């Protein structure tokens, strides 16, 4: 029996007014697979991530995580919107980390991580704090539990944001250009935490412009432009031997190591 996809995106379309941002996008991600999404600015990468978590509604198509629909259920040849309670329950299975850290400034690192499990899932404080300390250790911040965000570097704040997302025990993690707001010397510590997650078998969809990181971490790279998937394949196939002129032109802007 074929393995069920952890993420199944089927014919999803999304527009903002007259601007078509996603056009009939379909993508399947296997359990434990790391898919890196690349493409020019404005190509629809971030919108795709936001649709997966229903932070953006989408006009057509369906999305499911581990077989459970997100936002809409199929009905005959169409679809119906799920209840808000159903949508909230589905969202709880998806972790997402953004460019901005979005930490609560009045809470310590530990409190930022424990807030959602305690309030949303009803996890007892002692258990939530024990799990939070495990996650802080995993991202290399065991000594920062009592620190407020203002006293943390950008890289440290982003690692707390990753730990916070993991505290909900998601089935899949989404990363949207999580290093773009960081100073270059801080990028490596965040990418290291993400690489550790990938090695642990977490299913991940990562939007990034870090091509060397994409090659190291990805099982598959997907190139999006104009709201459609232009090409996808193994990292070396996409980065060194792309089939389309559009991907070749895009990659020429990057380091000489990826010049086609």
């Amino acid at each position: 029996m074929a393995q069920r996809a952890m993420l199944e995106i089927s014919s999803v379309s999304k527009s903002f007014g007259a601007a078509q941002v996603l056009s009939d996008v379909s993508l399947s991600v296997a359990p434990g697979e790391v898919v890196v999404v690349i493409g020019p600015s404005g190509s629809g990468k971030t919108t795709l991530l936001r649709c997966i978590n229903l932070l953006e509604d989408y006009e057509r198509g369906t999305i499911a995580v581990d077989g459970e629909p997100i936002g809409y259920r199929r009905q005959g040849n169409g679809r119906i919107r799920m209840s808000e309670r159903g949508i909230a329950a589905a969202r709880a299975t998806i972790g997402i980390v953004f460019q901005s850290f979005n930490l609560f400034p009045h809470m310590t690192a530990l409190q930022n991580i424990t807030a959602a499990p305690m309030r949303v899932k009803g996890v007892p404080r002692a258990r939530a704090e024990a799990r939070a300390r495990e996650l802080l250790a995993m991202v290399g911040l065991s000594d920062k539990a009592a620190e407020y965000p203002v006293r943390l570097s950008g890289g440290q704040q982003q690692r707390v944001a990753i730990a916070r997302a993991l505290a909900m025990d998601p089935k899949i993690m989404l990363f949207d250009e999580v290093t773009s707001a960081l100073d270059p010397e801080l990028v490596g510590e965040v990418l290291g935490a993400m690489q550790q997650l990938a090695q642990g078998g977490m299913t991940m969809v990562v939007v990034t412009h870090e091509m060397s990181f994409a090659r190291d971490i990805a099982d598959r790279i997907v190139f999006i432009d104009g709201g459609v998937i232009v090409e996808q394949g193994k990292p070396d196939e996409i980065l060194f031997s792309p089939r389309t002129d559009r991907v070749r032109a895009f990659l020429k802007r990057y380091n000489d190591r990826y010049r086609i």
Side-chain angles (χ1 to χ4, degrees):
M1 183 179 295
Q3 187 180 41
R4 182 167 69 186
M6 182 57 72
L7 173 65
E8 192 70 58
I9 301 171
S10 302
S11 303
V12 165
S13 294
K14 167 68 180 174
S15 59
F16 293 107
Q20 189 77 36
V21 183
L22 297 174
S23 182
D24 200 32
V25 172
S26 294
L27 180 67
S28 183
V29 180
E33 186 178 17
V34 178
V35 171
V36 171
V37 182
I38 64 172
S41 297
S43 61
K45 305 184 303 296
T46 291
T47 300
L48 180 62
L49 287 194
R50 291 177 65 84
C51 286
I52 293 171
N53 205 33
L54 211 69
L55 294 173
E56 294 287 352
D57 209 340
Y58 49 98
E59 290 89 30
R60 292 184 299 280
T62 56
I63 298 172
V65 171
D66 198 19
E68 295 298 319
I70 304 292
Y72 295 89
R73 295 184 182 276
R74 295 183 187 275
Q75 187 174 66
N77 294 326
R79 62 179 198 167
I80 58 171
R81 187 176 174 88
M82 297 164 56
S83 69
E84 291 306 313
R85 178 175 292 183
I87 290 171
R91 277 185 178 140
T93 67
I94 304 168
I96 187 164
V97 184
F98 300 98
Q99 299 176 29
S100 54
F101 319 127
N102 294 328
L103 298 179
F104 297 114
H106 63 289
M107 293 183 179
T108 64
L110 188 73
Q111 291 168 338
N112 265 280
I113 297 168
T114 59
M118 290 170 59
R119 294 176 184 177
V120 177
K121 287 189 167 184
V123 177
R125 179 180 299 277
R127 195 169 81 196
E129 289 187 352
R131 176 62 173 153
R133 292 184 189 280
E134 289 176 2
L135 291 169
L136 284 170
M138 190 200 77
V139 298
L141 294 174
S142 294
D143 59 337
K144 302 297 182 182
E147 297 288 359
Y148 288 89
V150 70
R151 293 179 58 86
L152 300 174
S153 71
Q156 289 169 338
Q157 290 186 60
Q158 195 61 289
R159 283 184 283 160
V160 172
I162 292 171
R164 179 177 62 181
L166 291 171
M168 292 293 285
D169 295 321
K171 294 181 176 181
I172 184 171
M173 285 287 292
L174 312 177
F175 295 90
D176 183 22
E177 295 284 9
V178 295
T179 61
S180 63
L182 300 179
D183 292 334
E185 65 268 23
L186 302 177
V187 169
E189 60 191 46
V190 175
L191 297 184
M194 292 170 64
Q195 198 149 25
Q196 186 176 349
L197 274 183
Q199 291 168 353
M202 174 62 73
T203 308
M204 297 164 58
V205 179
V206 181
V207 170
T208 186
H209 282 107
E210 299 281 346
M211 293 298 142
S212 59
F213 177 64
R215 185 189 181 198
D216 290 343
I217 197 174
D219 295 304
R220 182 166 32 126
I221 292 179
V222 174
F223 181 88
I224 291 182
D225 191 23
V228 299
I229 294 177
V230 177
E231 190 171 340
Q232 59 181 303
K234 296 290 186 182
D236 284 355
E237 293 172 357
I238 298 297
L239 296 174
F240 295 110
S241 303
R243 299 185 301 274
T244 61
D245 290 340
R246 180 65 191 95
V247 179
R248 280 193 288 271
F250 175 80
L251 290 173
K252 282 181 181 178
R253 296 184 302 153
Y254 288 93
N255 194 295
D256 287 348
R257 288 175 297 172
Y258 298 103
R259 188 169 292 162
I260 304 302

